[in-house]
Amino acid sequence: MEQEQIAENTQIQDVLNNINNVIFGKEEIVKLSLVALLTEGHVLLEDVPGVGKTMLVRTLAKSVNCDFSRIQFTPDLLPSDVTGVSIFNPKELEFEFREGPVFGNILLADEINRTSPKTQSALLEAMEEKSVTVDGKTRRLKSPFFVMATQNPIEYEGTYPLPEAQLDRFLLKLRMGYPTYEDELEMLSRNRNHHPIEEIQAVMSQEELLLEQEEVKNVYMDETIQQYILNIVTRTRSHSSIYLGVSPRGTLALMEASKAYAYIEERDYVIPDDVKNLAPFVLAHRVILKAEARYQGRSSEEVIDSIIQSAHIPIKKGFAE
């Protein structure tokens, strides 16, 4: 039986329009960022400075009426600078906890690879557990909670690259890239008198966002689509160019992201194209290539793309019509 389209979700479209009015020509990156937010996942954004990474997160936070916080990671940053610290109050003669920036709703972790592995782990633990433990007491983070971490792919001196096990904690790895000539010209035109973010208003409340996240979980995925996902993932574990394939966490991530992508496209079911479009962003940072593949100049994205092209696409009446 053919599936029905869901009713137009104007709030989701309003959020997308808000961000696209500030970030020019990056509609796909904006949509993928919203995919991560709707699945309660996190994004690693790898790109050069000045292409709009901070503005993307700020606009997203403002559009959904969430608290925005930012951490500029440096080599001397301590885990307590991320999670918070207990300070002695001489008036009350007791310690009181001062929350760190991780207790915001939407967090920009800028240049995460510039801080020590110990501090990186403090953030990544909070991302995974949605809580922090300080002085033996566990404190829950706010909900919704979304992290967009950035790293500069050009300057590696004095950095601490994220281990593969920690990269696996990010739902998506994205690259913004430079804008086109036309988009950058439009940016100059719109920024002549004031910045477009000053005109942005919230179009969704935190409570509404939490409801949207629950609705995404109910998006239908047929068993044939699940098999398609597993077919792609298992091929990464036996591919001649891959030393370490995608983990089961990556399998779940691709399923959840595909549901959110379908939801944004105003469907209550997933189609193979949802999986195909998302797989490079969900899986490429979860594999380790063999040395000979790297020497040949192959990238993880290229290898994942070759796997997608060779994987059998399920065809079923409900999806073909």
Side-chain angles (χ1 to χ4, degrees), residues 53-218:
K53 300 185 293 291
T54 302
M55 200 56 58
L56 170 61
V57 189
R58 282 184 59 197
T59 310
L60 178 59
K62 195 171 181 180
S63 297
V64 295
N65 199 28
C66 285
D67 296 332
F68 170 75
S69 57
R70 175 180 178 175
I71 308 173
Q72 182 65 51
F73 282 90
T74 57
D76 59 348
L77 201 71
L78 300 174
S80 58
D81 295 324
V82 175
T83 61
V85 64
S86 294
I87 299 177
F88 184 71
N89 185 334
K91 185 176 180 180
E92 302 293 335
L93 297 179
E94 62 181 18
F95 285 91
E96 58 182 34
F97 181 69
R98 300 283 180 87
E99 294 182 350
V102 78
F103 282 87
N105 292 121
I106 294 183
L107 172 66
L108 173 63
D110 216 356
E111 296 191 288
I112 190 174
N113 58 331
R114 290 204 174 276
T115 197
S116 68
K118 188 175 183 179
T119 305
Q120 290 174 354
S121 297
L123 174 63
L124 292 163
E125 180 183 359
M127 290 163 49
E128 181 71 14
E129 305 296 335
K130 291 184 172 57
S131 64
V132 297
T133 302
V134 180
D135 297 333
K137 183 176 181 180
T138 300
R139 294 175 170 84
R140 296 291 300 174
L141 301 180
K142 294 179 180 179
S143 188
F145 176 62
F146 171 71
V147 174
M148 182 172 284
T150 72
Q151 59 182 13
N152 186 343
I154 304 301
E155 299 176 2
Y156 286 110
E157 185 175 353
T159 63
Y160 303 86
L162 291 172
E164 283 71 18
Q166 294 184 348
L167 284 173
D168 201 30
R169 304 298 175 97
F170 290 95
L171 180 77
L172 304 170
K173 183 178 180 182
L174 308 176
R175 293 183 177 90
M176 292 190 71
Y178 289 113
T180 64
Y181 181 90
E182 292 77 14
D183 290 330
E184 199 158 5
L185 188 62
E186 178 68 15
M187 180 189 71
L188 293 176
S189 176
R190 295 200 187 185
N191 279 269
R192 280 184 296 187
N193 299 319
H194 60 276
H195 200 286
I197 197 173
E198 297 174 9
E199 300 177 352
I200 295 299
Q201 301 294 327
V203 293
M204 183 186 295
S205 67
Q206 293 185 28
E207 293 75 16
E208 289 167 335
L209 174 58
L210 293 173
L211 288 175
E212 302 273 4
Q213 291 176 339
E214 288 301 314
E215 287 185 11
V216 166
K217 296 176 183 178
N218 296 323

Side-chain angles (χ1 to χ4, degrees), residues 238-244 288-295:
S238 58
H239 196 279
S240 59
S241 296
I242 296 177
Y243 172 72
L244 185 65
I288 302 177
L289 297 185
K290 292 181 178 178
E292 51 265 36
R294 297 197 302 270
Y295 293 150

